[in-house]
């Protein structure tokens, strides 16, 4: 329980950045419909390579196996499984991947040296060396952009509100048309606006 609390603390201090990474790699996956809100295997592998995670202790193949293990769902008919995109990572699954990768990359080496492994230290190290913002991490700057800045400056203002309201009927028809098309193609329930 203590180790789990320490891992949560590692994630908590950089959670906003991890959410930005998640959103970015969902986007680069190029999925549509409900699948657009999960990281595809290709986007996950892109993240692994861009962050330079593979080394002598962690191969690309092991990273691929971690994706498969984390994405496995025992009960395909459970409520969680229904909303959990197949062959893609939800946010909680990405966090599990990070823990498993850190364990494989750093704890296995510690055990080989006869040392006591510390998973929370391994997760912290993985984040510092590979996921945190900085020139050496390899992540695209767009993956760390704060979308709230754009929203506050360009979207959440009176001028934009008035423009959207003036075209509300057309925008609603456009949205409903594309939503129906995506729903028919993806076989997912509508994501209509209130």
């Amino acid at each position: 329980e203590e180790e789990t609390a320490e891992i949560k603390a590692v994630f908590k201090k950089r959670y906003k950045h991890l959410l930005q990474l998640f959103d970015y790699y969902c986007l680069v996956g190029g999925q549509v419909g409900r699948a657009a809100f999960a990281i595809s295997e290709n986007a996950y592998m892109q993240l692994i390579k861009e962050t330079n995670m593979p080394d002598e202790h962690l191969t690309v193949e092991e990273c691929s196996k971690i994706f498969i293990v984390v994405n496995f769902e025992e009960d395909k008919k459970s409520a969680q499984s229904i909303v959990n995109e197949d062959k893609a990572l939800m946010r909680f699954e990405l966090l599990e991947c990070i823990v498993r990768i850190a364990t494989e990359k750093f704890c296995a080496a510690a055990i080989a040296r006869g040392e006591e492994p510390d998973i929370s230290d391994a997760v912290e190290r993985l984040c510092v060396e590979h996921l945190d913002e900085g020139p050496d991490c390899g992540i695209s700057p767009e993956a760390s952009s704060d979308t709230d800045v754009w929203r506050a400056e360009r979207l959440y203002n009176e001028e934009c509100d008035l423009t959207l309201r003036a075209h509300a009927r057309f925008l609603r028809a456009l949205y409903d048309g594309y939503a129906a098309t995506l729903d028919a193609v993806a076989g997912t329930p509508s994501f209509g606006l209130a």
Side-chain angles (χ1 to χ4, degrees), residues 1-192:
E1 288 181 25
E2 185 179 321
E3 191 66 15
T4 300
E6 290 177 12
I7 292 169
K8 285 181 182 178
V10 170
F11 286 143
K12 186 175 182 179
K13 70 181 174 183
R14 54 181 52 89
Y15 196 64
K16 183 175 182 178
H17 176 64
L18 291 172
L19 290 179
Q20 291 168 337
L21 287 178
F22 179 80
D23 290 346
Y24 176 77
Y25 285 98
C26 286
L27 175 69
V28 298
Q31 303 295 321
V32 294
R34 209 174 67 199
F37 300 100
I39 296 177
S40 69
E41 187 170 7
N42 287 341
Y44 165 79
M45 293 310 294
Q46 180 178 343
L47 167 67
I48 296 301
K49 290 175 183 169
E50 288 179 353
T51 56
N52 304 309
M53 286 190 200
D55 62 12
E56 67 274 7
H57 302 291
L58 179 76
T59 65
V60 172
E61 292 76 19
E62 288 167 326
C63 291
S64 182
K65 287 177 190 173
I66 288 171
F67 177 91
I68 293 166
V69 167
V70 169
N71 203 33
F72 178 74
E73 300 164 19
E74 282 187 35
D75 182 4
K76 296 280 186 189
K77 294 183 175 148
S78 71
Q80 182 180 3
S81 181
I82 291 168
V83 297
N84 190 343
E85 194 64 39
D86 292 338
K87 298 182 183 173
L89 300 175
M90 306 292 282
R91 280 190 305 232
F92 71 93
E93 291 171 324
L94 175 63
L95 296 179
E96 183 179 341
C97 282
I98 291 169
V99 172
R100 288 177 178 268
I101 288 168
T103 303
E104 185 69 32
K105 186 174 179 77
F106 300 118
C107 293
I111 292 169
R113 292 188 305 269
E115 299 171 4
E116 184 73 27
D118 186 309
I119 297 172
S120 62
D121 287 349
V123 172
E124 174 73 25
R125 184 174 171 193
L126 184 79
C127 289
V128 167
E129 293 180 12
H130 299 281
L131 296 175
D132 284 351
E133 299 176 75
D136 298 329
C137 75
I139 295 173
S140 169
E142 290 83 13
S144 298
S145 64
D146 187 350
T147 55
D148 287 335
V149 172
W150 178 85
R151 287 184 185 114
E153 292 175 1
R154 305 293 304 269
L155 184 63
Y156 301 147
N157 61 58
E158 187 174 1
E159 183 182 353
C160 186
D161 182 56
L162 292 172
T163 302
L164 291 173
R165 286 177 189 264
H167 302 285
R169 290 183 72 198
F170 170 75
L171 293 171
R172 166 58 80 178
L174 184 67
Y175 178 87
D176 288 345
Y178 276 103
T181 302
L182 286 174
D183 293 343
V185 171
T188 60
S190 177
F191 56 92

